[in-house]
Amino acid sequence: MPSPVPALASARHAERAFAVTLAAYLLSAAALVAVGVTPTIGWTLLLLLLFALSFVYGLARGLFLVGTLLRGRPSLVPPVGIALGFAVTWCYRLQNPVVLLCCLFLLAIVGVDCRRDRARLRYLAAVVGTLFAGFRTVNNLNYLRALLTFDRVHDPALRALDLAIYRALVPGLRYDGLFPLTSSALWFDLFENAYAMVFPGGDCCLGGAVPHQG
């Protein structure tokens, strides 16, 4: 039976990270209040993180299963794993009820595993808390930065900086030639889903900051 010491150590590290991130979130929220903006919590993000956690957890289990099934042919593990990753990314759309049902099923698996392993429960709870507080901290800092730099940062200057960077790689590139990066619908959908998997919520889902009334 594996020793619980490494699992407990990982849980403690995750809990320390959560404490630091939570402190940063509270400080950023206090800074927003000080400049006259009411920060929001954005509970929708927590639900999205739970779905994303279950999805990633299930994917990790699937990769472990692939590695177990192909133990006699290790050279097949990377291509099969990559193909599985592409397939999962292609199907990933939270608007799809089938994906949501799969996430609920996988979340039940996470719950069963955590019930058997308390250290895993502590670790995953701390990870979700860290991601939630981290996203909210970045969101608060974005609003704070916008308030403090609205008369200093201009879109034309930022666009010129973009062009200077991209033209160092592709001479003569025009700004309207930057996007879209691909004209293939297949690759576009794949990249869009990959972005959605990395950032499981935009400002409409995270919740914004509301100026004080009166």
Side-chain angles (χ1 to χ4, degrees), residues 9-94:
S10 297
R12 293 193 184 103
H13 287 311
E15 287 167 350
R16 292 192 195 102
F18 171 58
V20 172
T21 310
L22 181 61
Y25 164 69
L26 293 175
L27 287 174
S28 66
L32 275 181
V33 172
V35 298
V37 177
T38 301
T40 57
I41 297 178
W43 293 112
T44 307
L45 174 63
L46 186 58
L47 181 61
L48 289 174
L49 285 175
L50 288 175
F51 279 132
L53 170 69
S54 64
F55 202 82
V56 172
Y57 193 88
L59 179 59
R61 269 203 167 200
L63 291 175
F64 178 79
L65 179 61
V66 168
T68 303
L69 294 175
L70 299 176
R71 186 176 300 169
R73 307 181 70 179
S75 61
L76 290 179
V77 174
V80 172
I82 292 173
L84 179 62
F86 269 94
V88 169
T89 305
W90 174 259
C91 298
Y92 183 84
R93 281 188 180 276
L94 285 178

Side-chain angles (χ1 to χ4, degrees), residues 20-211:
V20 172
T21 310
L22 181 61
Y25 164 69
L26 293 175
L27 287 174
S28 66
L32 275 181
V33 172
V35 298
V37 177
T38 301
T40 57
I41 297 178
W43 293 112
T44 307
L45 174 63
L46 186 58
L47 181 61
L48 289 174
L49 285 175
L50 288 175
F51 279 132
L53 170 69
S54 64
F55 202 82
V56 172
Y57 193 88
L59 179 59
R61 269 203 167 200
L63 291 175
F64 178 79
L65 179 61
V66 168
T68 303
L69 294 175
L70 299 176
R71 186 176 300 169
R73 307 181 70 179
S75 61
L76 290 179
V77 174
V80 172
I82 292 173
L84 179 62
F86 269 94
V88 169
T89 305
W90 174 259
C91 298
Y92 183 84
R93 281 188 180 276
L94 285 178
Q95 300 91 337
N96 190 330
V98 176
V99 174
L100 290 177
L101 288 175
C102 289
C103 286
L104 288 173
F105 174 73
L106 294 173
L107 195 59
I109 295 177
V110 175
V112 171
D113 287 351
C114 288
R115 186 177 180 182
R116 296 173 180 173
D117 188 348
R118 296 293 180 179
R120 183 179 305 185
L121 174 61
R122 289 173 53 186
Y123 176 78
L124 292 178
V127 167
V128 171
T130 301
L131 289 173
F132 180 74
F135 268 112
R136 297 310 304 157
T137 301
V138 172
N139 187 260
N140 289 344
L141 291 177
N142 280 339
Y143 276 98
L144 188 63
R145 182 191 61 182
L147 287 170
L148 297 177
T149 63
F150 73 94
D151 58 344
R152 297 181 179 89
V153 179
H154 303 281
D155 287 341
L158 295 176
R159 189 169 77 170
L161 178 62
D162 281 346
L163 279 176
I165 294 173
Y166 286 118
R167 282 175 178 169
L169 302 175
V170 184
L173 182 68
R174 297 180 57 185
Y175 196 80
D176 55 7
L178 286 176
F179 305 104
L181 296 177
T182 176
S183 58
S184 169
L186 179 110
W187 284 105
F188 182 86
D189 288 340
L190 187 67
F191 289 146
E192 185 178 44
N193 289 355
Y195 181 86
M197 293 176 76
V198 177
F199 302 98
D203 189 61
C204 59
C205 296
L206 299 179
V210 182

